[in-house]
Amino acid sequence: MLLPILNYPHPNLHIVAKPVDTIDDSIVQLTKDMAETMYASNGVGLAATQVDVHKRIVVIDVSETQDDLLVLINPEITWYSDEKIVYEEGCLSVPGIYDKVERAARIKVKATNEKGEDYTFDADGLLAVCVQHELDHLIGKVFVERLSELKQTRIKTKIKKMAKRTL
Ligand code: QAP
Ligand code: CO
């Protein structure tokens, strides 16, 4: 089932997600719906926060062929490199807006999958950027809030103008 995505600056995008304590059928179904919603929107990542569910759940697929789904339940970044990467980011909650954000170039991640298995992996490049971007959502942070105040003001103005056009 496709889920509606909250659009910035919706206040619920600032709610801090709570850890998942039991991976029951409703959580498994939510991860499936999140993946379907991400693929349908041609996204590479989606956090539960963006579909107004305030639990620590993220889906990511940075593969070209959209066939390498990562389900991250209660994800944590256990290590950040000092080395940085600057990447032009976008967000399904901020359609049409893209800007450069600096983040750690490499990270170590631990999470649980939808089967309840714990796993860890190292990430760099687009995957490292995506994990950091999605985990920001879980603490109520949208990538535009990592840009200058001037850029944030300009983005809000642009969003209001785009909304008017669709009236
Ligand atoms: C986060 O973002 C991300 O504006 C995921 O019109 C982005 O999937 C991580 C999207 C970049 C790493 C690098 C955005 C689709 C998708 C749009 C997305 C749009 C259509 C964004
Ligand atoms: Co996003």
Side-chain angles (χ1 to χ4, degrees):
M1 192 183 78
L2 281 177
L3 304 168
I5 297 177
L6 297 179
N7 275 322
Y8 179 81
H10 194 290
N12 290 5
L13 288 170
H14 295 130
I15 299 174
V16 177
K18 291 194 166 60
V20 173
D21 44 39
T22 331
I23 304 172
D24 57 21
D25 292 351
S26 73
I27 297 289
V28 174
Q29 188 57 47
L30 174 63
T31 64
K32 286 180 185 165
D33 291 343
M34 284 173 61
E36 186 185 341
T37 304
M38 173 182 73
Y39 287 129
S41 328
N42 281 311
V44 292
L46 184 71
T49 307
Q50 294 175 272
V51 294
D52 214 9
V53 176
H54 303 285
K55 297 183 200 305
R56 292 190 62 85
I57 304 173
V58 162
V59 293
I60 290 177
D61 190 340
V62 296
S63 72
E64 298 265 309
T65 42
Q66 298 197 322
D67 62 355
D68 196 6
L69 181 67
L70 276 174
V71 173
L72 299 99
I73 298 170
N74 297 334
E76 299 292 343
I77 299 171
T78 57
W79 176 80
Y80 296 85
S81 66
D82 292 330
E83 187 197 331
K84 306 292 182 193
I85 182 173
V86 175
Y87 205 97
E88 179 102 355
E89 297 188 17
C91 181
L92 290 173
S93 293
V94 200
I97 304 285
Y98 305 87
D99 214 325
K100 287 178 183 138
V101 180
E102 185 184 87
R103 300 187 185 270
R106 285 173 291 121
I107 53 173
K108 288 186 188 294
V109 184
K110 69 168 190 187
T112 303
N113 68 17
E114 70 281 9
K115 292 170 194 143
E117 300 157 343
D118 294 342
Y119 66 106
T120 60
F121 62 97
D122 295 354
D124 63 9
L126 176 59
L127 180 58
V129 172
C130 197
V131 170
Q132 291 174 80
H133 174 116
E134 300 310 331
L135 267 63
D136 269 358
H137 278 300
L138 302 180
I139 56 164
K141 207 166 175 80
V142 180
F143 86 99
V144 297
E145 291 156 359
R146 295 200 172 274
L147 306 173
S148 68
E149 288 296 334
L150 175 62
K151 280 187 173 178
Q152 291 184 45
T153 305
R154 285 177 174 169
I155 288 167
K156 281 182 182 151
T157 305
K158 190 175 171 184
I159 288 168
K160 281 184 193 145
K161 279 187 184 155
M162 291 195 298
K164 262 188 191 167
R165 235 174 269 143
T166 59
L167 280 179

